[in-house]
C-alpha cells in the first residue's frame, strides 16, 4: 500500500513538471557530458549553470524513482528521468528561501547494462529555480543541471557564483552594437573601440590601441568613453566568460562605422585580435 502511494506521488510530481522539463530539454544545448561523466565541467559550464539559476543548493539524495518514459517528454536515448527527494545541506547562492527537504526531476545516463545509477546518500550541487506556488519543489535550469558534490567541486563553484553575483560584474553580452577605428598621426598608430550590446542595456566597450614599435594592447570598460588604461580580463574569470563565451566569431559588417576601407579593415583585424587573446570558450557539457 505504501509503495502504491509513493508511486502516485512520484507520478503526480512528474506530471506537474513534465511540460517544464520538456521545454528545458528543447532549449538547452545538447549535453555530451553528464553528472556521471569523466569530463569535469569547465569554468564556462559552471558559469552557464550559475548564470541561469536563481538557486544553487547542495543536497543529499534520500531516495529516487524512475519516471515512466511516457511521462518524460524530451528524454534522450540512454538516459532515465528520475524523481529525486533530497535533504538540503546548504544554500550556495540565491535569495529564495529553501526548506530542509527538496524535490526535483533530473536526467541521468544509464550504465552499460541499461540500469539507473544508485544516487541514494550521494550529494550534488543543484542549479535550479523554485516551482511557483509549490514550496520545496525545484525545476533544474536544464535536464542535467546537477554536478556531483565534493570539497573540490564546491571550491570551484563558489568563486564563480561570487563573481556572477558581484555588484560590479560584467553584464551578459548579447551582441555588438558598433565599432570604430581611427588612425593616429603616426604610421601604424590607431585606436579601435567596439561597443557591445548587453542584456541589461548597460554600457560595455572594448578598446584596442596600437602604437609604432609596441605590441597592441586591449581592454574592456563599462563605459562608452575611450579608456586607454582598460585592462584585458584574466582567463577563467566572469569578465573573461562574458566576453569569450558570448562574442560572435566575426565583427558584423553593419556594425563597422569606419568611413574608409583601411579603417574598416583595422576594426576587423582588431576584433579578431581580441578573440585570439581571449581564447576558446571551452564547454564539456555541451
Amino acid at each position: 500500500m505504501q509503495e502504491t502511494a509513493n508511486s502516485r506521488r512520484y507520478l503526480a510530481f512528474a506530471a506537474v513538471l513534465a511540460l517544464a522539463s520538456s521545454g528545458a530539454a528543447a532549449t538547452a544545448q545538447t549535453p555530451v557530458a553528464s553528472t556521471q561523466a569523466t569530463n569535469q565541467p569547465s569554468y564556462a559550464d559552471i558559469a552557464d549553470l550559475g548564470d541561469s539559476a536563481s538557486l544553487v543548493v547542495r543536497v543529499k539524495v534520500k531516495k529516487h524513482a524512475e519516471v515512466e518514459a511516457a511521462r518524460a517528454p524530451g528524454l534522450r536515448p540512454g538516459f532515465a528521468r528520475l524523481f529525486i527527494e533530497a535533504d538540503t545541506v546548504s544554500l550556495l547562492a540565491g535569495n529564495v528561501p529553501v526548506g530542509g527537504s527538496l524535490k526535483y526531476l533530473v536526467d541521468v545516463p544509464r550504465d552499460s547494462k541499461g540500469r539507473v545509477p544508485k544516487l541514494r546518500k550521494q550529494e550534488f550541487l543543484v542549479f535550479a529555480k523554485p516551482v511557483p506556488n509549490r514550496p520545496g519543489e525545484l525545476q533544474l535550469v536544464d535536464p542535467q543541471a546537477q554536478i556531483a558534490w565534493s570539497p573540490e567541486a564546491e571550491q570551484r563553484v563558489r568563486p564563480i557564483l561570487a563573481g556572477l553575483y558581484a555588484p560590479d560584474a560584467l553584464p551578459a553580452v548579447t551582441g555588438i552594437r558598433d565599432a570604430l577605428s581611427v588612425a593616429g598621426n603616426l604610421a601604424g598608430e590607431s585606436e579601435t573601440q567596439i561597443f557591445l550590446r548587453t542584456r541589461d542595456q548597460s554600457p560595455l566597450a572594448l578598446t584596442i590601441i596600437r602604437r609604432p614599435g609596441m605590441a597592441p594592447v586591449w581592454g574592456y570598460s563599462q563605459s562608452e568613453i575611450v579608456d586607454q588604461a582598460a585592462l584585458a580580463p584574466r582567463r577563467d574569470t566572469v569578465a573573461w566568460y562574458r566576453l569569450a563565451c558570448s562574442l560572435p566569431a566575426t565583427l558584423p559588417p553593419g556594425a563597422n562605422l569606419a568611413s574608409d576601407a583601411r579603417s574598416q579593415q583595422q576594426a576587423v583585424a582588431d576584433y579578431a585580435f581580441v578573440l585570439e587573446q581571449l581564447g576558446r570558450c571551452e564547454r564539456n557539457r555541451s
Side-chain angles (χ1 to χ4, degrees), residues 55-84:
L55 290 169
V56 182
V57 190
R58 176 183 166 189
V59 302
K60 185 174 184 179
V61 176
K62 290 192 296 187
K63 52 186 173 180
H64 58 80
E66 184 175 355
V67 178
E68 295 177 8
R71 295 177 178 267
L75 183 65
R76 295 175 58 208
F79 281 71
R81 182 160 298 163
L82 302 182
F83 169 79
I84 301 286

Side-chain angles (χ1 to χ4, degrees), residues 31-247:
V32 296
S34 70
T35 58
Q36 306 298 317
T38 300
N39 288 340
Q40 294 298 311
S42 68
Y43 184 98
D45 289 328
I46 297 172
D48 287 342
L49 293 172
D51 202 26
S52 301
S54 55
L55 290 169
V56 182
V57 190
R58 176 183 166 189
V59 302
K60 185 174 184 179
V61 176
K62 290 192 296 187
K63 52 186 173 180
H64 58 80
E66 184 175 355
V67 178
E68 295 177 8
R71 295 177 178 267
L75 183 65
R76 295 175 58 208
F79 281 71
R81 182 160 298 163
L82 302 182
F83 169 79
I84 301 286
E85 290 189 58
D87 290 324
T88 301
V89 178
S90 62
L91 178 65
L92 274 68
N95 53 14
V96 180
V98 294
S101 181
L102 298 172
K103 303 172 184 176
Y104 60 92
L105 296 175
V106 64
D107 291 357
V108 299
R110 298 179 183 276
D111 66 17
S112 59
K113 296 183 179 180
R115 295 175 300 195
V116 174
K118 296 180 180 180
L119 304 184
R120 185 172 176 272
K121 295 186 178 181
Q122 292 191 40
E123 295 188 24
F124 295 92
L125 297 178
V126 175
F127 298 78
K129 300 176 181 180
V131 178
N133 304 316
R134 299 183 71 89
E137 297 181 6
L138 302 179
Q139 178 188 340
L140 301 191
V141 296
D142 75 41
Q144 294 178 257
Q146 68 174 20
I147 61 177
W149 177 86
S150 68
E152 294 77 17
E154 183 168 335
Q155 190 175 11
R156 287 191 68 210
V157 169
R158 280 190 177 275
I160 297 175
L161 297 177
L164 291 170
Y165 280 80
D168 60 348
L170 249 63
V173 175
T174 59
I176 295 176
R177 196 177 76 210
D178 44 53
L180 180 63
S181 185
V182 178
N185 295 324
L186 302 176
E189 184 179 51
S190 66
E191 291 185 2
T192 298
Q193 194 163 36
I194 301 169
F195 301 101
L196 307 181
R197 298 185 188 278
T198 60
R199 187 164 57 194
D200 64 3
Q201 299 184 359
S202 61
L204 181 60
L206 307 176
T207 301
I208 304 95
I209 300 175
R210 295 179 184 269
R211 296 287 184 264
M214 300 175 61
V217 295
W218 77 280
Y220 70 90
S221 61
Q222 293 177 264
S223 167
E224 295 191 353
I225 300 174
V226 174
D227 184 0
Q228 297 191 9
L231 298 176
R234 291 183 294 106
R235 186 176 178 86
D236 289 352
T237 61
V238 169
W240 170 86
Y241 163 74
R242 292 297 195 203
L243 298 173
C245 300
S246 301
L247 290 174

